[in-house]
Amino acid sequence: MFKNFVLIIILSYCFSINSYSQSRLAHEVAVVFGPAALQSDYSQKTTLSSNLDRLGFGIGIAHFLNFSSNRNPLRETSYFKEHFKLQTSLSYTQFKLKHDSNYIDQNPEATNAKKLKAMYGSTRVTNIGTQLVYQLKNIHDFENTINSFAPYVGLGFFVSKYNVATNSTLNIRDLNNAVYYKYLSPSDGRERGFTTEKKFTVSAAASMGTRYKLSTLQDIMLDVRFQYFNSDWVDGLNPNKNLHPENNNNDWLMWFNVGYIYYLQ
């Protein structure tokens, strides 16, 4: 069912590109990469060293539909066409996860602290989706001005597939002696508050950044993307919220990336 839905989206998008091409709209392609941070149930610390220790990495490709381009002989100048682009992207991020908290630091010999410290995991997230991008600078003005900047913001949604693994350096088969009590209670349709699984979810996304004009056909992009998942299982942990209300937020990530954009003729 889901594969059919994704296939319909891809076919519809390909049809739209073909239709837009016949209307002489321009296309841009980009390659992006950079560090990413996943906010999850694994750590309560917010120190710089802790955040850096949890950084993952992401790569992606993107396509932009440019409604107002120098290569469009119609040169239509409506506000929408001079400031908006449609971005479709495919990205992949991965993270290694472990518990890092003041409780572990303050009680290193406590049984529960040892259980938390022994737990670790990883998750790989693949996203495909689209955003409507608003560029503050007039598109024609930017295209005609080498070494200029064009700040932008974007909003959209993604279909996300996460592949998560959860484990422990202790004997994970002996759950009561290996797993922190918070993760042993049934939660959200799962037998326990931790899991190893491959599933799909959706996410809302917001981006902001800027382009820098290298040449007529080349830009550099600096971008920050915030992505909020409609799931709290992306990191593999989701304690029962009725028993542990402090863990009531879904997972989300922030991706800082740099990209190279090329304008197709």
Side-chain angles (χ1 to χ4, degrees):
M1 179 67 178
F2 183 82
K3 291 181 179 179
N4 292 336
F5 175 70
V6 173
L7 181 60
I8 290 173
I9 291 177
I10 294 174
L11 291 176
S12 299
Y13 180 67
C14 291
F15 175 77
S16 68
I17 288 180
N18 181 62
S19 299
Y20 286 136
S21 296
Q22 293 176 6
S23 300
R24 297 183 179 181
L25 299 185
H27 303 275
E28 306 162 12
V29 293
V31 178
V32 298
F33 62 92
L38 179 68
Q39 184 64 35
S40 73
D41 294 315
Y42 260 94
S43 181
Q44 301 299 321
K45 273 191 176 181
T46 57
T47 61
L48 177 60
S49 61
S50 178
N51 289 331
L52 291 176
D53 196 42
R54 299 199 307 272
L55 280 181
F57 191 78
I59 57 174
I61 56 176
H63 171 270
F64 296 86
L65 281 180
N66 185 342
F67 303 100
S68 181
S69 166
N70 284 336
R71 292 169 307 291
N72 183 352
L74 298 179
R75 299 283 291 186
E76 297 183 24
T77 57
S78 70
Y79 187 85
F80 178 84
K81 293 186 178 187
E82 285 293 347
H83 290 275
F84 286 90
K85 295 181 180 181
L86 186 64
Q87 175 185 353
T88 301
S89 59
L90 173 66
S91 62
Y92 170 85
T93 52
Q94 64 178 22
F95 304 90
K96 292 183 178 180
L97 306 167
K98 65 179 183 179
H99 284 291
D100 187 11
S101 68
N102 293 325
Y103 171 72
I104 295 176
D105 293 342
Q106 296 168 5
N107 305 275
E109 299 303 318
T111 299
N112 282 329
K114 291 180 178 179
K115 291 179 181 180
L116 280 176
K117 190 173 182 179
M119 180 176 277
Y120 65 95
S122 65
T123 187
R124 294 172 288 172
V125 185
T126 303
N127 306 283
I128 183 170
T130 185
Q131 295 185 88
L132 185 63
V133 177
Y134 172 72
Q135 184 171 297
L136 277 67
K137 188 179 183 70
N138 180 288
I139 290 175
H140 275 130
D141 290 346
F142 175 66
E143 290 185 345
N144 291 320
T145 310
I146 307 301
N147 298 327
S148 63
F149 289 90
Y152 65 84
V153 294
L155 290 174
F157 72 94
F158 288 87
V159 176
S160 305
K161 179 183 180 181
Y162 62 91
N163 183 350
V164 63
T166 308
N167 213 322
S168 174
T169 57
L170 301 175
N171 183 3
I172 195 67
R173 296 182 180 180
D174 185 3
L175 293 179
N176 289 328
N177 290 322
V179 178
Y180 188 56
Y181 73 94
K182 181 185 288 189
Y183 306 111
L184 294 176
S185 303
S187 176
D188 193 28
R190 274 73 164 181
E191 186 177 359
R192 300 177 183 89
F194 70 94
T195 186
T196 293
E197 64 184 22
K198 301 178 183 179
K199 286 189 177 295
F200 288 92
T201 187
V202 295
S203 54
S207 297
M208 65 179 298
T210 187
R211 289 185 177 213
Y212 174 76
K213 175 60 65 177
L214 286 175
S215 68
T216 303
L217 298 178
Q218 299 177 91
D219 295 347
I220 292 293
M221 176 177 70
L222 297 176
D223 182 89
V224 180
R225 186 171 87 192
F226 173 82
Q227 195 171 341
Y228 186 83
F229 298 100
N230 188 37
S231 172
D232 198 11
W233 291 104
V234 176
D235 63 343
L237 301 183
N238 183 11
N240 188 304
K241 291 178 172 53
N242 293 324
L243 300 176
H244 308 285
E246 68 274 15
N247 294 104
N248 60 357
N249 295 321
N250 288 350
D251 299 322
W252 54 270
L253 69 80
M254 187 168 289
W255 184 22
F256 304 85
N257 60 79
V258 59
Y260 169 77
I261 302 172
Y262 185 78
Y263 293 66
L264 298 179
Q265 291 280 25

